[in-house]
Amino acid sequence: MRLEAVSARQVLVDGAFRPATVVLRDGRIASIDPFRDVSGDGVLRVPDAAVVVPGVVDTHVHVNEPGRTEWEGFRSATEAAALGGVTTLVDMPLNAIPPTTTVAHLELKQQAAQHQLLVDVGFWGGAVPGNVGDLEPLWDAGVFGFKCFLSPSGVDEFPPLDRAELLAALREIARFDGLMIVHAEDAAILESTPAPATRSYREFAASRPDAAEAAAIRQVVDGARETGARVHVLHLSSARALDVIAEARAEGLRLTVETCPHYLCFTADAIPDAAPEFTCCPPIRDAGNREALWQALDEGLIDCVVSDHSPSSPAEKYRGDGDLMQAWGGISGLQVGFAAMAHEARRRGIGPDRVSAWMSRNTADLVGLGRKGRIEVGADADLAVYDPTTPYLVEAASLAHRHPISAYDGLRLDGRVTTTVVRGEIVDAAAPDPTHGRPLTRPDLGEHP
C-alpha cells in the first residue's frame, strides 16, 4: 500500500517524540506538519500508544546467498528484516560462496538479490590475504567498506589477515578514504587458550577470553594510528576493551564501535547447557560485563547496535549434539533486535528514541546513508511503528528467517513492531513478488534502478 501521509501522536523528529503528520511524496518525506486526525486511503493513522521511528538500518547481516542459500537467502532475510522494523540492511561479504572480495563476486551478489528484496540492501566488500588490489575497484563499484578478520572466520574461503596484511590493507583503504570494519579477536590468544569439548556456555565463553578482544582492538587502533585509516570494531562483546577504545577516541583516531542486542539482553550465567542457539563469536559474557556495555552505550563510547544476524543450517548449528565447541557460532536475531533492545532499554529507564538513534541514525551515518535512519524532510520515507503496549512472545518457529532457530525463542517482550514502511510503501510480507526493496551502492554512486 502506497502512503501519502502518516499521522501519529508520537513521531521521532529531531531526537524527540511529538505529534505530527508526516507527508510522503515519491518515496520521500515531503513535509512534517502539525498533527491532524486524518483518515482515508493512503493515510496511516497510528494508535495513540504507538510511536513512529525511522526504519532500522542494520549494517551487520549475513545473508549467505549465493552459495549457502540453504542457510539464509535474500527473500527470507529481508522478510525477517521488514517484520522487525528494519528497512535497510548491509550484507556481509561472507558466508556466501564466493565471498565478496572482487568486483565479479559483488556482481554475483547483486544479481542474486534482484527481485527478492522487501527492504533496501547494500553490500560490504571483504579484505583477505592477496586482494589489496581489489579493494579500490570494489569501492568504486559501490561497497560500503571492507570487512576483515584477525582470527579464523569459520569458513575457509574467507581467511584472516596477519599484522602485515592488515597494515597493507589499511594503507590502501586510507588512500581512498574507505572504511575497514574488523572482527577483532587475537588469533594467537585464541590458539593458546584451552578449548575442550563442553556443553557449558561459561566454558565456551572462557575459550574466547576478553584478552583476545582487547589485544585485537589494540592492534586495530595501532593500525589506524599508523595509516590514518577509518576503522570500525564489529560486535564488541567485552567491556575489558573499553579503556583501549576510550584512549583511541581521546587521541582523535577515526574509530567507531558497535555491539549487538544479544550482548545487551543475555548473560552467560543464565544460558542453559547444550544450547547452541546462543553460541556466537565473540561470546556472550557475564552480567557485570553486560551492564558495562550498557553504560558505554549510554555514554556514547559505543556508537551503534546491530544484529550480527548469522544463521546456518540446523545441521551446522546443532553439530556436536550439544558440544558448543562444534556448533556454528552465530545468532539469528534480525527480526527481533529492535523490540528486544527497546524492552531491555525500558528496564533501564531508556526510551525508544535512544534505541532508534543507536540502531537507525548512527548506523546510517556509519555507512554514509544520509537519507536513511531519520525522519526529516528529504529523507527516504522509511518508517517503523513500534507499539510498547503490545506484548510479544518470541517464537522461533514463527520468525521469517529460513530456519526456526533463535536465541530469542521464548522471550517475552513488552512491545513489538507492528508496521514497516519502505520508501512510502507499507511492506506486505505475504506478497508473492516483493517490490519494496532495492540494492544500494554508496550514496555518491546513487542507487541501482
Side-chain angles (χ1 to χ4, degrees):
M1 175 182 175
R2 174 66 63 177
L3 295 175
E4 297 175 1
V6 176
S7 189
R9 296 284 184 183
Q10 300 182 78
V11 181
L12 186 58
V13 181
D14 295 330
F17 288 110
R18 63 180 172 89
T21 295
V22 183
V23 178
L24 314 180
R25 187 177 302 120
D26 298 326
R28 300 275 186 89
I29 296 173
S31 64
I32 303 172
D33 299 344
F35 173 80
R36 57 184 187 274
D37 196 357
V38 292
S39 61
D41 293 342
V43 177
L44 177 63
R45 175 65 173 86
V46 176
D48 289 352
V51 300
V52 179
V53 295
V56 172
V57 179
D58 192 339
T59 54
H60 195 147
V61 178
H62 294 267
V63 175
N64 304 335
E65 185 175 3
R68 289 193 176 95
T69 310
E70 70 275 13
W71 291 16
E72 186 73 282
F74 284 105
R75 180 62 175 82
S76 52
T78 59
E79 180 177 343
L83 291 170
V86 178
T87 54
T88 302
L89 63 85
V90 187
D91 174 54
M92 283 291 166
L94 75 163
N95 303 305
I97 301 174
T100 316
T101 52
T102 68
V103 171
H105 294 175
L106 171 64
E107 290 171 349
L108 289 174
K109 273 274 194 182
Q110 292 167 331
Q111 291 164 15
Q114 290 287 347
H115 311 300
Q116 294 203 75
L117 306 181
L118 277 80
V119 304
D120 289 351
V121 175
F123 303 92
W124 294 108
V128 296
N131 87 322
V132 169
D134 293 298
L135 301 181
E136 188 171 22
L138 276 165
W139 183 252
D140 291 341
V143 300
F144 286 85
F146 306 91
K147 180 176 186 176
C148 73
F149 278 73
L150 303 185
S151 57
S153 70
V155 292
D156 292 340
E157 65 275 5
F158 203 95
L161 301 181
D162 63 23
R163 288 179 180 273
E165 290 163 339
L166 174 65
L167 283 173
L170 288 175
R171 288 191 189 96
E172 175 67 0
I173 289 168
R175 187 179 63 77
F176 54 80
D177 199 27
L179 171 65
M180 178 70 96
I181 64 175
V182 186
H183 181 121
E185 289 181 286
D186 184 89
I189 292 176
L190 294 181
E191 288 170 8
S192 66
T193 303
T198 184
R199 298 167 68 85
S200 162
Y201 197 91
R202 292 184 67 181
E203 291 178 4
F204 166 75
S207 75
R208 306 188 80 94
D210 299 87
E213 274 192 272
I217 290 170
R218 189 168 293 281
Q219 184 182 342
V220 172
V221 167
D222 290 344
R225 181 185 299 111
E226 183 169 338
T227 65
R230 186 161 58 109
V231 294
H232 178 74
V233 172
L234 297 167
H235 46 50
L236 178 72
S237 85
S238 175
R240 301 276 182 87
L242 291 171
D243 287 346
V244 178
I245 293 165
E247 291 167 6
R249 290 279 181 81
E251 190 178 335
L253 299 179
R254 297 196 294 170
L255 170 73
T256 50
V257 181
E258 71 184 33
T259 191
C260 305
H262 44 271
Y263 301 129
L264 298 164
C265 294
F266 303 118
T267 64
D269 294 345
I271 295 173
D273 286 348
E277 298 87 352
F278 295 89
T279 55
C280 55
C281 302
I284 296 164
R285 304 191 189 275
D286 61 40
N289 183 88
R290 178 180 66 173
E291 297 315 308
L293 292 179
W294 270 104
Q295 182 177 346
L297 189 61
D298 188 43
E299 294 173 352
L301 192 56
I302 298 173
D303 301 275
C304 50
V305 179
V306 298
S307 71
D308 189 12
H309 179 71
S310 185
S312 72
S313 66
E316 288 294 316
K317 195 61 176 165
Y318 294 114
R319 186 176 54 197
D321 191 27
D323 177 5
L324 302 183
M325 296 299 179
Q326 295 188 50
W328 175 257
I331 285 179
S332 298
L334 180 58
Q335 186 172 333
V336 185
F338 184 86
M341 277 294 298
H343 174 89
E344 284 292 321
R346 185 178 183 178
R347 293 178 56 223
R348 293 166 173 79
I350 299 170
D353 52 332
R354 301 284 308 283
V355 175
S356 177
W358 297 326
M359 301 187 75
S360 298
R361 180 178 284 269
N362 293 2
T363 45
D365 290 349
L366 172 70
V367 294
L369 285 170
R371 294 206 308 265
K372 304 286 190 183
R374 62 210 74 212
I375 299 175
E376 59 186 39
V377 174
D380 286 353
D382 295 349
L383 308 169
V385 178
Y386 171 74
D387 187 345
T389 67
T390 301
Y392 181 18
L393 172 61
V394 181
E395 297 176 291
S398 68
L399 298 175
H401 65 258
R402 189 171 298 280
H403 299 291
I405 303 169
S406 178
Y408 298 92
D409 185 38
L411 210 61
R412 294 182 180 273
L413 305 176
D414 291 336
R416 68 183 305 160
V417 172
T418 58
T419 306
T420 300
V421 178
V422 173
R423 272 178 280 97
E425 196 168 348
I426 294 178
V427 177
D428 179 6
D433 242 349
T435 57
H436 310 292
R438 300 175 183 173
L440 301 176
T441 55
R442 280 186 300 107
D444 57 324
L445 299 179
E447 298 181 0
H448 289 283

